[in-house]
Amino acid sequence: MFQIGKTIVSEEILTKDFVCNLSACKGACCVDGDAGAPVTPEERQILDEIYPKVKPYLRQKGIDAIEKQGTYITTDLDEIETPLIDGADCAYVTFDDNGIALCGIEEAYNQGDIDFKKPISCHLYPIRIQEYSEFSAVNYHKWQICDDACSLGAELQVPVYKFTKDALIRKFGEDWYNQLEAAAKDL
C-alpha cells in the first residue's frame, strides 16, 4: 500500500493485469452477484435526470424495475446501488445480438444523448473505492468471473491502473494519475 494525497492505494492495481474480455465473460459483472452497482450520493440526482434519455435504450424488464424501485435504491445498510431485475441483472443492462451484457446508460452516452458515461463504480471496475472519513482506499477487486480478463491483461501486458486510466482520472484527476504512474515506475 502507498499513499497519494488522501488516497491509500493497493499495489495490486499496479502489479495485476486486466483487460475486459467481453467475448469470454459476456458482461457477467452486470448480471451476476446479489447487489446492484454502487452509486455515489452525487450520482443519485444524475440518474434521476438522465433516466428519460436512457429509458429508450433499456429492456422492458429494466424499465419496469426502475419504475417500481426508482433509478437507484438504498439498501438496509444505507448503501446506494442501481436497482436489480428480480434480484439478478442490473436494471440498466441490455444485451447485444451475441448475448453480451452492455450498459444502457453507456449506450445513451455513446450515442451522444447524455454526458454521463455510467456510475463511477462501473467505470472503475475492477478497482473498488472504499470511502473513509479521512481517506479513500483504492483496491483491486478479484472476482472469478473476471479470470478471462486477467488472462487477456497478462497476454497484452496491461496492468489494472492502465486499463482503468480514464476512470481513475475521472475520479481523482490527472495530477493524481500522474503520481500513480510515477509510483508504478518506482515499483
Side-chain angles (χ1 to χ4, degrees), residues 5-71:
K6 292 188 174 192
T7 61
I8 304 297
V9 182
S10 166
E11 289 181 5
E12 286 186 306
I13 72 166
L14 306 178
T15 61
K16 300 289 185 184
D17 295 318
F18 193 97
V19 172
C20 278
N21 189 347
L22 290 176
S23 62
C25 74
K26 305 287 189 208
C29 60
C30 297
V31 296
D32 285 0
D34 55 4
V39 173
T40 68
E42 300 79 24
E43 290 172 332
R44 293 180 300 189
Q45 181 178 350
I46 294 169
L47 290 174
D48 284 342
E49 290 171 1
I50 65 171
Y51 176 66
K53 292 182 178 180
V54 171
K55 184 177 176 179
Y57 295 94
L58 302 178
R59 298 178 295 150
Q60 188 59 50
K61 286 182 174 185
I63 294 167
D64 293 346
I66 291 167
E67 293 187 356
K68 181 179 180 185
Q69 300 171 59
T71 59

Side-chain angles (χ1 to χ4, degrees), residues 103-130:
C103 177
I105 297 169
E106 189 170 17
E107 186 58 25
Y109 171 85
N110 290 340
Q111 296 302 317
D113 292 334
I114 58 174
D115 60 4
F116 177 74
K117 186 173 182 86
K118 56 185 164 183
I120 192 68
S121 67
C122 301
H123 196 191
L124 280 166
Y125 200 78
I127 292 176
R128 284 288 186 227
I129 308 295
Q130 181 66 46

Side-chain angles (χ1 to χ4, degrees), residues 61-161:
K61 286 182 174 185
I63 294 167
D64 293 346
I66 291 167
E67 293 187 356
K68 181 179 180 185
Q69 300 171 59
T71 59
Y72 60 88
I73 63 154
T74 303
T75 70
D76 295 339
L77 300 173
D78 279 338
E79 295 169 334
I80 309 163
E81 300 174 350
T82 58
L84 297 178
I85 300 169
D86 299 324
D89 303 4
C90 173
Y92 294 100
V93 78
T94 63
F95 293 93
D96 72 7
D97 294 339
N98 297 316
I100 295 174
L102 302 172
C103 177
I105 297 169
E106 189 170 17
E107 186 58 25
Y109 171 85
N110 290 340
Q111 296 302 317
D113 292 334
I114 58 174
D115 60 4
F116 177 74
K117 186 173 182 86
K118 56 185 164 183
I120 192 68
S121 67
C122 301
H123 196 191
L124 280 166
Y125 200 78
I127 292 176
R128 284 288 186 227
I129 308 295
Q130 181 66 46
E131 301 290 350
Y132 296 95
S133 59
E134 299 296 319
F135 66 94
S136 300
V138 182
N139 292 299
Y140 167 70
H141 181 253
K142 178 137 177 69
W143 193 4
Q144 112 188 32
I145 65 171
C146 293
D147 286 350
D148 289 312
C150 296
S151 297
L152 182 58
E155 179 184 326
L156 299 175
Q157 298 181 334
V158 177
V160 170
Y161 80 95

